[in-house]
């Protein structure tokens, strides 16, 4: 099995109450790829500038990520994002975004990346997502992320893109905004009426919820006393989720989707322990399995025979 | 086993996008008692005015709630709350609060209510909570709720009250505010350092999390497409939680606490389906057990042998 992801490949400048980095490897496709690399062969697609050098490629390649479809644009500058988080890490402020080579990005997928069994369209302009989707006719499972910007500025394109994927994975506030429905269960049903068979509502520190045509499943965020940088948590979640499903032969029964939710939760939890890609890039499969099991233990309860009324 | 609860016994006027009621039975001790009544003998303690009549007593007594410690103050008016919810039911506005007979409430517990095995101090002024706590020396398990008002205006008393109970059950925002610690796991640990052995963070539609000295457990809110009135959800959760624990002989092992969390979640979910006490007052134990099992099904996942790295 093989997994292709399209999205930003970037440099981030991040300041949190626990430290800062002036320029570190980041971007949705990068966080996704590192997380997914523990499960399957993953190919990120996206443009970078001259500033993206051997050190950056090495972080990806050391994890077995296939970098052939990362397009280096001569004379260009890589996507750059600067943000800061308050003492309450749930409150983030974007201070600068420079699209760089992403401004003129026109995805051209190699034959190998077009042949992927699983495709993830990270948060980019929805018409771009559709052009990538159209190139991956063979994909058996396609996921999509988005954000409030596209709901505001390209709603029709976004709805069309949603109609062409199997799974929408976005923040719960964006599911509500997209559908105009504050009740999350109803909002998720509205999204499924647009086409997808599954909706994953990311809920930040509260975890994530999975809605399917006839099921519901939810997991809390993994409890951590030390969170240093939330950047990339959602993309790491997606990487764990889609990476696991791809490795599992793309089986999409309820049990597999639930395990994928758990792997997503685990990868996101490691991601936020340190800045940028620092923690996930030296993670081991053993650590992942241990935390998967800890999460299972933290969410189990058993029934007893009920006392008489 | 027997359970005593002290807190407001009230009339509520509530308006939500799905309807309104000008005057309905409400108050923390009422919602708590009805939920707990499915599990154990429960005695609410608190004052009411002349306006609290046979119809109100009957709602409680039909569910087996012992009303002997509801003190009727001649010439008095019952606690009254008027609130409205926005289309997004997570956004509530208090429009009027009249303390009535609650303004001069000095708790005098009967011998029977003082002998309770389990005591819940619903959200009232923390010095009042302490005076009730002192009267219930036999209680083996004591819980406490509170709110931002008391953190702002009676912090020292609240901290003293927390030091005298076994379990704090408050909204997660209030745990953060009380401790000045935005990380919930750290904030919960700080609260346990004040004395309690368990902290339950209520998280509204996201569910609830249980922190103990060496454990963590979390449950999502039960997913509902039709929520009509969230008033009393937290108190119904507490009633299910403490009611189950009391019925279960006050055993406080991790398994019992987790089942109590599930019963709390179930009772809260029924509470919000209709206005005020309407749904819970005609609920059956069978419906509770069915939803308990549905919740268990919605939160389970199983491991598979991991693929090789």
């Amino acid at each position: 099995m093989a997994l292709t992801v399209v999205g930003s490949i970037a440099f981030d400048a991040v300041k949190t109450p626990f430290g800062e980095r002036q320029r570190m490897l980041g971007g949705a496709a990068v966080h996704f790829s590192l997380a997914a690399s523990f499960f399957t062969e993953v190919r990120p697609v996206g443009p970078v500038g001259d500033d993206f050098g051997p050190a950056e490629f090495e972080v990806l390649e050391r994890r077995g990520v296939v970098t052939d479809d990362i397009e280096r644009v001569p004379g260009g500058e890589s996507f750059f994002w600067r943000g800061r988080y308050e003492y309450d890490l749930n409150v983030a402020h974007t201070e600068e975004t420079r699209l760089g080579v992403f401004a003129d990005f026109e995805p051209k997928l190699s034959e190998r990346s077009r042949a992927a069994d699983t495709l993830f369209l990270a948060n980019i302009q929805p018409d771009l997502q559709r052009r990538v989707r159209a190139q991956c006719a063979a994909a058996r499972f396609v996921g999509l992320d988005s954000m409030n910007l596209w709901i505001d500025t390209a709603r029709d394109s976004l709805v069309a893109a949603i109609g062409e994927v199997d799974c929408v994975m976005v923040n719960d506030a964006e599911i509500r905004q997209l559908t105009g429905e504050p009740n999350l269960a109803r909002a998720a049903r509205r999204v499924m009426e647009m086409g997808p068979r599954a909706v994953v509502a990311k809920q930040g520190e509260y975890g994530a919820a999975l809605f399917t045509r006839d099921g519901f499943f939810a997991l809390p965020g993994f409890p951590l006393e030390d969170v240093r940088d939330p950047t990339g948590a959602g993309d790491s979640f997606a990487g764990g989720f889609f990476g696991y499903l791809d490795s599992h032969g793309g089986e999409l029964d309820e049990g597999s989707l639930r395990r994928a939710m758990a792997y997503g939760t685990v990868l996101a939890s490691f991601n936020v322990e340190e800045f940028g890609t620092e923690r996930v890039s030296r993670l081991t499969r053993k650590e992942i399995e241990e935390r998967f099991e800890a999460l299972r233990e933290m969410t189990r309860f058993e029934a007893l025979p009920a006392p008489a009324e």
Side-chain angles (χ1 to χ4, degrees), chain A:
Chain A
M1 306 295 285
L3 170 57
T4 291
V5 54
V6 60
S8 59
I9 300 166
F11 288 105
D12 290 341
V14 171
K15 186 171 184 177
T16 85
F18 309 104
E20 64 182 303
R21 297 291 184 276
Q22 287 302 325
R23 185 177 178 82
M24 65 183 180
L25 179 60
V30 166
H31 287 290
F32 180 98
S33 295
L34 290 173
S37 72
F38 291 92
F39 303 96
T40 193
E41 183 179 282
V42 54
R43 295 171 171 263
V45 174
V48 296
D50 295 326
D51 49 358
F52 201 89
E56 286 75 35
F57 278 106
E58 200 196 328
V59 172
L60 294 166
E61 286 161 3
R62 244 190 354 245
R63 282 285 336 134
V65 173
V66 183
T67 58
D68 302 351
D69 283 60
I70 296 180
E71 186 190 349
R72 212 145 170 250
V73 180
E77 187 204 16
S78 299
F79 187 102
F80 178 79
W81 179 78
R82 180 191 302 280
R84 109 186 126 76
Y85 295 85
E86 294 192 4
Y87 186 53
D88 178 349
L89 292 169
N90 297 305
V91 185
H93 302 278
T94 288
E95 297 189 326
E96 187 180 356
T97 303
R98 294 200 304 266
L99 287 178
V101 293
F102 230 85
D104 304 308
F105 175 48
E106 185 52 53
K108 295 172 291 289
L109 278 65
S110 69
E111 201 170 319
R112 288 293 292 278
S113 62
R114 294 160 74 115
D117 305 283
T118 307
L119 171 67
F120 184 65
L121 308 165
N123 169 31
I124 54 175
Q125 208 281 343
D127 292 312
L128 273 182
Q129 291 180 315
R130 296 187 70 192
R131 294 209 283 280
V132 174
R133 173 69 186 95
Q135 293 178 51
C136 295
R140 292 164 51 189
F141 192 56
V142 182
L144 169 153
D145 187 9
S146 194
M147 71 186 293
N148 51 1
L149 173 67
W150 311 123
I151 300 172
D152 291 335
T153 64
R155 191 193 145 78
D156 291 349
S157 297
L158 177 57
V159 170
I162 289 172
E164 294 164 0
V165 304
D166 303 289
C167 176
V168 166
M169 179 179 283
V170 296
N171 294 331
D172 61 346
E174 281 148 2
I175 298 180
R176 296 182 157 105
Q177 185 189 348
L178 174 67
T179 58
E181 173 56 75
N183 177 294
L184 188 61
R186 281 176 182 268
R189 188 156 52 83
R190 293 270 177 87
V191 174
M192 284 188 272
E193 286 164 3
M194 298 175 189
R197 71 176 107 165
V199 174
V200 176
K202 295 184 288 186
Q203 302 170 321
E205 64 166 325
Y206 295 113
L210 166 71
F211 296 87
T212 53
R213 298 256 160 98
D214 41 30
F216 173 82
F217 176 67
L219 281 176
F222 192 88
L224 295 170
E225 292 210 2
D226 291 298
V227 175
R228 287 194 184 81
D229 172 20
T231 310
D235 301 307
S236 300
F237 183 99
F241 182 93
F242 288 98
Y244 172 75
L245 286 178
D246 186 68
S247 77
H248 199 58
E251 276 186 52
L252 302 171
D253 57 284
E254 185 76 14
S256 300
L257 289 169
R258 289 179 174 203
R259 278 189 291 280
M261 290 281 289
Y263 281 115
T265 299
V266 166
L267 268 296
S269 76
F270 281 116
N271 173 277
V272 303
E273 286 184 345
E274 297 180 19
F275 278 79
T277 62
E278 292 167 13
R279 182 70 183 93
V280 174
S281 61
R282 59 175 169 73
L283 191 62
T284 66
R285 181 66 189 247
K286 182 163 173 287
E287 290 172 309
I288 292 171
E289 294 303 328
E290 285 168 358
R291 192 165 286 185
F292 178 98
E293 199 47 41
L295 180 65
R296 205 163 77 87
E297 174 46 39
M298 283 172 183
T299 54
R300 292 171 78 164
F301 68 98
E302 304 299 334
L304 277 192
E309 189 163 6

